Amino acid sequence: FSMKKKGRKKQIGIPGVVAIMLASSLTVMVGNAITPALPELGEVYGLGNYASWLVTAPALGVTATALLFGKLIDKKGPYYTAFFGLLFYGLFGVAGAFMPNAAAIFADRFLLGAATAAIMSAGVALITVFFQGEKQLKMIALQGMSMELGGVIFLSISGMLAGFSWRYPFFIYALGFVAFFMLLLFVPKCGKAEEEVQDTQDSFQQQGVPVWLVLLIAFFGMLMFFTAMVSLPIYLQNDLGYSPSFTGYYLAVLDLVAVLAAGVMPKIVAKIHEKNCLVIAFFCYGAAFLIYFLSGHIAALGAAVLLAGAGFGLSTPLFNSLVVRKSTPKNKGTNISLCTMAMFLGQFLSALLVSGFSGKKMFLAAVVISWIAGMSILPVTKMYERKDSQSR
């Protein structure tokens, strides 16, 4: 893989791409890694129904700090942002197993979220430094696949580990150290995006929906995904009587479906356009929640997991891709970090949605939100397209 830099070539090899993808795989599972242990964590720390906030606490850390890291990327470049993010991800992640009380573990999870903000924003920015055009979309899709493949592997392991002790799933975060050393060994040091990539007016889109609307869609997309991830452990174990290991495997299947959906997403976008792909994703989410509301039968759970996974895989990689295309080299880091904030704010508020509705009513609320979001996409994009045609 190569990229031209004002007459010189900056290259990144396959191991470097693997390093970026491994780092990316750590971001979505930052909350999920401990989900199979949630019921026991709730008992240990006396959290009751508020145990779900342990999954989403890192998202608050992401939301609070992502913009700072975006500004840092625009000023210093993504390499050193990833460097410190991965180092502290490993430290704060593993430390969660040894927190003495509820306040301490929430503080630790918040700091873990800050490290995740650095990794996620830097990961997308590194891809935009080394890849352009159609290859960039494929790499961002591959990044989305990596995020979910990480979920498949880590959730399966977490489910097994949670069967032995609630502490053990926290040790999965030590993979941050592995990604840290791979970054040092295989990823070339790079500067700011505006220095690494020639600034051409054709490389970003001024027309169409504004960036803030893409961010709003990203928020609702992640709100739906993490509403499923936060509610399903409690639903499967407490309501339906399944074991922590079954929960881990079930969520891993959800992630595996998301991997496959993210893999075919660029081909779908090439045929039906991004906006239609996003509409399909939100309707998949809504259909999944409707099935959870109607039935707990194993066949129904199987159909729902396929739909929920497809919703994530067809939407999440697109959010970053759309934001990148609507950014100039000078504000790319900031916009990527805003997208990170929007997605993790959705993750954080998913716990509020789960806590705010009793029982299966939460699934019905999620159906309404996802379908309203999906139905709004086409009318809004057409409105901006008309404005663009009138201004020409």
Side-chain angles (χ1 to χ4, degrees):
F1 301 106
S2 66
M3 182 214 67
K4 291 180 181 177
K5 177 187 174 182
K6 298 179 182 177
R8 300 201 306 274
K9 277 191 175 181
K10 182 171 272 292
Q11 297 180 332
I12 182 168
I14 297 289
V17 173
V18 172
I20 293 172
M21 296 307 158
L22 175 60
S24 300
S25 74
L26 302 175
T27 56
V28 167
M29 74 93 167
V30 65
N32 296 354
I34 64 165
T35 48
L38 268 190
E40 195 174 351
L41 277 165
E43 292 177 15
V44 169
Y45 288 103
L47 295 170
N49 290 333
Y50 294 99
S52 61
W53 288 89
L54 286 174
V55 174
T56 55
L60 182 61
V62 173
T63 307
T65 60
L67 193 56
L68 295 173
F69 293 118
K71 299 286 186 186
L72 185 64
I73 289 168
D74 283 335
K75 287 185 177 179
K76 300 293 184 183
Y79 184 87
Y80 288 106
T81 308
F83 177 95
F84 288 108
L86 289 167
L87 180 62
F88 285 106
Y89 182 97
L91 288 171
F92 291 129
V94 174
F98 306 103
M99 293 297 109
N101 52 50
I105 196 169
F106 274 113
D108 178 77
R109 302 288 287 169
F110 178 90
L111 293 170
L112 177 63
T116 304
I119 296 168
M120 191 161 184
S121 298
V124 178
L126 282 169
I127 289 172
T128 66
V129 165
F130 294 112
F131 301 96
Q132 303 301 308
E134 188 180 336
K135 196 170 267 188
Q136 187 181 95
L137 175 61
K138 287 181 179 177
M139 281 295 158
I140 289 176
L142 182 62
Q143 185 187 41
M145 291 172 68
S146 300
M147 290 177 183
E148 287 314 297
L149 192 57
V152 173
I153 298 165
F154 305 142
L155 274 169
S156 300
I157 297 169
S158 178
M160 289 186 288
L161 293 176
F164 295 103
S165 168
W166 62 267
R167 292 183 194 272
Y168 290 175
F170 286 94
F171 298 132
I172 293 172
Y173 294 115
L175 282 165
F177 296 126
V178 177
F180 171 77
F181 287 112
M182 287 188 71
L183 178 84
L184 289 179
L185 293 171
F186 302 122
V187 178
K189 291 181 182 178
C190 52
K192 296 181 284 186
E194 61 181 308
E195 293 172 353
E196 299 291 345
V197 183
Q198 289 183 337
D199 187 1
T200 59
Q201 289 297 314
D202 295 333
S203 64
F204 58 93
Q205 295 180 347
Q206 298 285 2
Q207 295 180 329
V209 297
V211 170
W212 69 266
L213 264 175
V214 178
L215 300 179
L216 186 62
I217 295 168
F219 163 77
F220 281 112
M222 290 300 270
L223 177 67
M224 292 301 93
F225 177 68
F226 276 97
T227 295
M229 296 303 285
V230 169
S231 62
L232 285 174
I234 296 164
Y235 175 62
L236 291 172
Q237 292 178 45
N238 294 355
D239 294 0
L240 301 183
Y242 288 104
S243 66
S245 59
F246 175 87
T247 303
Y249 290 131
Y250 186 81
L251 296 179
V253 170
L254 193 159
D255 283 334
L256 182 59
V257 174
V259 170
L260 299 174
V264 299
M265 181 273 293
K267 292 181 180 178
I268 293 173
V269 166
K271 289 186 176 180
I272 65 169
H273 200 270
E274 291 100 333
K275 58 189 176 186
N276 295 312
C277 190
L278 288 173
V279 170
I280 291 170
F282 277 100
F283 274 85
C284 284
Y285 277 135
F289 285 120
L290 185 60
I291 292 171
Y292 288 130
F293 175 74
L294 293 173
S295 174
H297 190 274
I298 190 68
L301 293 178
V305 80
L306 293 175
L307 289 162
F312 185 91
L314 294 177
S315 60
T316 305
L318 265 181
F319 302 143
N320 281 320
S321 177
L322 288 167
V323 165
V324 166
R325 278 168 41 199
K326 290 188 169 293
S327 304
T328 67
K330 289 184 179 180
N331 67 9
K332 193 172 286 182
T334 299
N335 283 348
I336 290 169
S337 69
L338 287 171
C339 188
T340 301
M341 283 176 67
M343 290 195 286
F344 277 86
L345 184 61
Q347 178 179 341
F348 178 71
L349 293 180
S350 65
L352 191 64
L353 184 63
V354 172
S355 303
F357 290 88
S358 58
K360 286 190 171 184
K361 289 180 183 176
M362 186 279 304
F363 291 129
L364 200 58
V367 172
V368 173
I369 294 169
S370 55
W371 281 354
I372 288 175
M375 287 186 288
S376 302
I377 291 170
L378 291 181
V380 170
T381 52
K382 283 181 181 177
M383 180 183 74
Y384 279 95
E385 284 167 3
R386 279 198 301 270
K387 283 184 179 180
D388 291 337
S389 62
Q390 289 169 3
S391 63
R392 285 172 192 159

